[in-house]
Amino acid sequence: MFVCENLSVNKKGHLTIGGVDAIDIANEYGTPLYVMDIYVVRKNCERLASIVNKYYGNNALLCFASKSFCCKKIYNIMQQENMGVDTVSIGEMYTAIKAGFPSKKVYFHGNSKTEDELEYALENKIGRVVVDNITELNSLNYIAKKKGVVADILLRLKPGVDAHVHKYVTTGSVNSKFGFDIANGEAMEAVKKAMELENVNLLGIHCHIGSQIFEVEPFLLAAEIMMDFIKDVKIKTQNELLELNLGGGFGVRYLQTDKSFDIDCCIKSVCELVKSKASDYGLSLPFLIFEPGRYIVAQAGVTLYTVGCRKEIDKDIKYVSVNGGMTDNPRYILYGSLYEATLANKASEEKLEKVSIAGKCCESGDLLGEGVLLQRAEKGDILAMFATGAYNYSMSSNYNRNLIPAVLFIENGNCSLAVKRQTLEDLIRNDV
Ligand code: LLP
């Protein structure tokens, strides 16, 4: 009935999220509202951890890619789940640290890190800086020297693998802006350079080939290329790289008609490949890292909106307008991403019409979806959009000076705010 688990319909015909009536939630906390079911978040963490453990033992770490959903409370949950985290800006590192997350388990990524960010990472003893380019490598070494420290690093590499995903979220091909190219020798040069520098300590390599990937093959190919690279490094430098971070990107279902991604099979195949390559090449088993973002949080999220009006242009074009839009979920207009929705107060009624869900921004393209199957919507209905836990809140904006919604966590039937709703005062706080 629903693409996400832990959703149901109660006797009143209302949608329930984690056992709580969505209409009660909307009445108490207002809309638009991001609701996160923490049961689902934890279950996904635990599922992945047990799969990795089954096929690779405990010489591994799962890092939550916090760009998919970032606030202090999620870092607390990741800490409880024994996860590391992937951060990509001083803002994400700061949030993690302010949440009390252990800095040694923070990985710092980015293709254009600023010197301030590198300084911040070193001052806060961030676990690994994942170095993207030679300029950054030199800056980091320089900053570390000034501070009298040695930075533990990985190098971000481009394995040259096409993950067959939307071009905005593909990252592993040679034309990508991220990382050092393996094929043209740039990556090996960077390894040698890093080994010469005194204030960086090269521990391993990283790649991330894209997001929302449904095929196992690209992951395997990338893992193979990375293991071959570790072998080449050993041959050319007599040093063995002991950390292998294979990034995230595991595909998630947004629609009931979407195929599901066999994560068990993917991780099993990757772990077996890494083990067999290590044994073929006489290498130690590397410390293995995965960095899932979407897989952990996407299906935990439901966004609640209030319907403003409906407009029937003709029999085929019907708009249902809501009190949010591209400012809280830009994914339809950016990537054409599709979502399922229901009217939370009419959840037991049949869905009989296909509508375009219009946002409130002054922008014709501001839609949350087209051809979305829905019950007949009227002003005041509560529209629930599913699987919005990843890259929604974290990509929200104040365009048109709309307020960023609150984030509500639900766990064991209890609701607690993780992020307060922005206020009008917040909007002008930095205006002078
Ligand atoms: N590691 C690195 C280095 C990454 O760049 C990313 C995502 C991840 C891990 C996590 O990927 P995931 O498991 O979440 O697929 N805004 C886009 C997604 C951009 C992904 C960027 N990097 C979207 O809404 O689809």
Side-chain angles (χ1 to χ4, degrees), residues 49-257:
S50 90
I51 296 174
V52 171
N53 192 270
K54 181 164 57 164
Y55 298 118
Y56 205 79
N58 59 10
N59 189 26
L61 179 68
L62 285 169
C63 285
F64 170 60
S66 57
K67 72 206 75 178
S68 61
F69 179 84
C70 180
C71 67
K72 280 165 64 180
K73 275 200 173 181
I74 201 77
Y75 289 110
N76 299 145
I77 288 167
M78 292 306 144
Q79 186 174 356
Q80 290 156 7
E81 295 297 324
N82 286 318
M83 307 270 291
V85 294
D86 147 357
T87 62
V88 72
S89 68
I90 193 169
E92 287 182 358
M93 286 188 286
Y94 178 81
T95 312
I97 284 163
K98 286 289 170 187
F101 194 86
S103 60
K104 279 282 148 229
K105 287 173 88 176
V106 176
Y107 284 60
F108 179 36
H109 290 274
N111 66 301
S112 186
K113 302 177 186 79
T114 65
E115 297 205 345
D116 285 352
E117 288 180 317
L118 293 174
E119 287 204 10
Y120 185 85
L122 294 180
E123 277 158 18
N124 288 282
K125 302 188 170 51
I126 293 299
R128 303 279 183 275
V129 177
V130 185
V131 174
D132 177 273
N133 55 71
I134 285 288
T135 315
E136 180 190 331
L137 184 63
N138 286 323
S139 301
L140 182 65
N141 185 62
Y142 177 76
I143 297 169
K145 192 173 200 150
K146 259 195 339 197
K147 292 191 181 303
V149 295
V150 175
D152 286 334
I153 66 164
L154 305 183
L155 294 180
R156 167 123 190 200
L157 307 188
K158 284 192 264 200
V161 172
D162 183 357
H164 306 123
V165 293
H166 194 289
K167 79 172 180 344
Y168 291 173
V169 293
T170 181
T171 47
S173 75
V174 289
N175 297 329
S176 160
K177 69 170 181 174
F178 297 101
F180 297 96
D181 190 2
I182 297 180
N184 72 2
E186 190 180 55
M188 190 59 76
E189 284 310 305
V191 165
K192 288 181 186 157
K193 176 83 188 168
M195 285 175 177
E196 276 164 34
L197 294 174
E198 278 179 12
N199 291 79
V200 296
N201 177 27
L202 177 62
L203 290 169
I205 51 175
H206 166 274
C207 72
H208 169 78
I209 55 174
S211 200
Q212 188 62 347
I213 303 171
F214 279 88
E215 295 163 42
V216 174
E217 205 54 37
F219 287 108
L220 278 178
L221 204 55
E224 183 171 4
I225 292 168
M226 298 293 272
M227 287 303 288
D228 287 352
F229 186 78
I230 294 179
K231 174 194 73 175
D232 288 349
V233 168
K234 190 168 179 192
I235 293 170
K236 296 207 168 95
T237 70
Q238 278 74 57
N239 285 316
E240 202 171 321
L241 299 176
L242 292 172
E243 267 191 47
L244 175 60
N245 183 332
L246 293 174
F250 309 126
V252 162
R253 285 172 76 227
Y254 284 88
L255 306 177
Q256 288 173 79
T257 49

Side-chain angles (χ1 to χ4, degrees), residues 65 67 86 156 208 211 249 291-294 331 335 391 395:
K67 72 206 75 178
D86 147 357
R156 167 123 190 200
H208 169 78
S211 200
E291 291 171 336
R294 193 189 310 268
R331 298 194 69 259
Y335 321 113
Y391 304 107
M395 290 176 78

Side-chain angles (χ1 to χ4, degrees), residues 2 4-8 15-20 25 33-45 69 74 77-78 81 295-303 385-390 407-416 418:
F2 298 110
C4 306
E5 56 185 315
N6 223 16
L7 299 173
S8 186
L15 174 74
T16 63
I17 308 169
V20 185
I25 295 173
L33 183 72
Y34 297 109
V35 182
M36 296 292 283
D37 184 343
I38 300 307
Y39 164 82
V40 177
V41 174
R42 291 193 195 277
K43 198 172 158 196
N44 289 338
C45 292
F69 179 84
I74 201 77
I77 288 167
M78 292 306 144
E81 295 297 324
Y295 180 86
I296 304 289
V297 286
Q299 290 216 342
V302 177
T303 309
M385 189 162 257
F386 302 119
T388 55
V407 180
L408 187 74
F409 278 11
I410 296 185
E411 187 160 25
N412 300 323
N414 299 316
C415 297
S416 63

